[in-house]
Amino acid sequence: METEVVVDEFQELIPSRNGSCVVDPKGQVLQTHNKNTNNKQHTTHNMAAAPKLYYWGIKARGQLPVILAAFAQQPLDWEKNPDWPGLKAETNFGQLPYLVDNGLKINQSMAIARYLSRKYGLQGDTDADFAISEQLIEETVDIFTAVAKANYSPEKAAAYTAVFETEVPKHFGFLEALLPSASGFASKITAGDLAVFSVINILLDLEPTVVDNFPKLKAFYAGLSENAGIKSYLDQNIPAYFKRD
């Protein structure tokens, strides 16, 4: 099941580029560029509505879909203050995160991530890329689950200590071994790479030195942090959900 949480309202949305148009998260064309002239043509007509993600404005289960859209520089309307539980009856499984795209309703965080990765062309160019990406997604689910269990443990401090002394180094060791270079795990950046980035980002809020013993992972994370779309997301300073104290 997905974890339900309640946080304060955060209203920032992620601006993005779609081809030659600058598009806001609601799918509104703000500016078009004429390649044949130096003039910029302004218009206010509507495009197809952007996918709408309902999940609180925190770094948790809803983060990966947002990072996918940010990296792809595609519009995503993130409703950070969803009407909950008022929205519950509308969802497929009575939980968040919940995505609506052109009438299609999707629950389950990884299903949403995979749907968007397919939509945005982030599943790789080859079968090998796809296989690597899928493995990475599942590996990050294991890491996220270990952190969530620690967060809800009655012995929270001890549980977090165990996670960062045993579980995280074990999984990061696997990832370090699989990472051929700081440029990524496959022939191009895939959803799996971005899933690894997302979970590292969440862990850094809990343990700032978490990647220090894994030089390739550290360089990989630093490199993706400089991507324009990712940087626009990081600059929003979305608050952490998991806390050790």
Side-chain angles (χ1 to χ4, degrees):
M1 294 179 61
E2 306 286 0
T3 303
E4 296 180 8
V5 292
V6 178
V7 297
D8 293 333
E9 179 177 0
F10 295 88
Q11 295 292 349
E12 301 89 352
L13 295 173
I14 301 174
S16 56
R17 248 177 222 285
N18 185 4
S20 61
C21 301
V22 179
V23 184
D24 76 4
K26 295 185 182 297
Q28 199 72 355
V29 178
L30 302 179
Q31 189 179 92
T32 60
H33 299 271
N34 187 333
K35 293 182 179 180
N36 297 321
T37 71
N38 292 323
N39 297 325
K40 295 178 179 178
Q41 300 174 337
H42 295 266
T43 181
T44 59
H45 69 273
N46 288 324
M47 296 178 66
K52 186 161 187 173
L53 177 70
Y54 296 87
Y55 197 71
W56 299 278
I58 53 172
K59 294 197 287 186
R61 290 189 183 275
Q63 174 162 270
L64 178 54
V66 178
I67 284 177
L68 292 169
F71 178 82
Q73 298 193 34
Q74 293 294 320
L76 179 68
D77 184 354
W78 184 7
E79 175 52 71
K80 299 189 180 85
N81 189 32
D83 176 19
W84 196 258
L87 193 64
K88 193 170 188 176
E90 180 184 321
T91 69
N92 295 331
F93 301 123
Q95 60 191 19
L96 300 178
Y98 170 55
L99 183 83
V100 179
D101 186 20
N102 195 29
L104 178 64
K105 299 178 179 182
I106 309 171
N107 267 124
Q108 300 292 356
S109 55
M110 291 301 104
I112 292 169
R114 287 180 166 100
Y115 171 78
L116 292 178
S117 69
R118 177 182 171 92
K119 185 181 181 76
Y120 300 151
L122 293 172
Q123 293 186 322
D125 291 337
T126 66
D127 290 346
D129 284 348
F130 177 73
I132 292 167
S133 178
E134 288 295 296
Q135 291 178 84
L136 294 174
I137 289 171
E138 291 304 312
E139 177 68 1
T140 62
V141 169
D142 289 346
I143 298 170
F144 186 95
T145 300
V147 171
K149 286 181 178 178
N151 196 72
Y152 300 121
S153 170
E155 302 293 335
K156 186 175 180 180
Y160 263 124
T161 297
V163 164
F164 282 99
E165 287 183 353
T166 59
E167 287 296 310
V168 171
K170 177 184 74 175
H171 288 290
F172 276 17
F174 295 149
L175 292 171
E176 182 85 356
L178 284 172
L179 184 59
S181 73
S183 61
F185 289 86
S187 67
K188 62 186 295 187
I189 295 297
T190 66
D193 293 83
L194 296 167
V196 172
F197 178 90
S198 178
V199 82
I200 292 174
N201 179 261
I202 289 171
L203 294 179
L204 284 168
D205 290 330
L206 297 164
E207 181 54 67
T209 62
V210 71
V211 290
D212 285 0
N213 292 328
F214 305 93
K216 287 192 291 184
L217 272 181
K218 186 173 184 177
F220 164 79
Y221 181 85
L224 270 181
S225 296
E226 294 304 313
N227 171 270
I230 297 292
K231 194 172 187 305
S232 73
Y233 170 71
L234 296 177
D235 286 347
Q236 293 185 64
N237 294 315
I238 301 298
Y241 171 64
F242 297 117
K243 300 184 189 303
R244 296 183 75 162
D245 51 21

